[in-house]
């Protein structure tokens, strides 16, 4: 997995967690949902990169 790809996936996860936390604290359900979506996007990117790594070996 490339370093840039790892950073990008982790950034999406972190951004999502932050949005979720702020959304929950401010009772903003839309922001909280965006946070969940961003986390899922980051997790999916990370999983895809792991699959790529398996086939490179």
């Amino acid at each position: 997995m490339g370093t840039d790809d790892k950073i990008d996936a982790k950034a999406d996860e972190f951004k999502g967690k932050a949005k979720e936390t702020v959304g929950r604290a401010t009772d903003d359900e839309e922001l909280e949902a965006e946070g969940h979506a961003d986390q899922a996007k980051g997790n999916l990117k990370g999983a895809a990169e792991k699959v790529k790594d398996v086939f490179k070996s």
Side-chain angles (χ1 to χ4, degrees):
M1 184 194 287
T3 303
D4 290 339
D5 295 330
K6 284 182 184 179
I7 292 170
D8 190 39
K10 286 295 180 184
D12 283 339
E13 289 178 38
F14 180 74
K15 179 175 70 171
K17 188 65 175 172
K19 280 184 180 181
E20 178 187 355
T21 301
V22 171
R24 191 175 298 140
T26 60
D27 275 339
D28 186 341
E29 293 178 3
E30 187 175 327
L31 187 59
E32 189 175 347
E34 283 180 33
H36 284 290
D38 287 345
Q39 286 180 67
K41 180 180 165 185
N43 288 334
L44 186 60
K45 282 182 183 180
E49 290 303 318
K50 287 179 184 177
V51 168
K52 287 180 189 177
D53 284 345
V54 167
F55 286 105
K56 285 182 182 179
S57 299

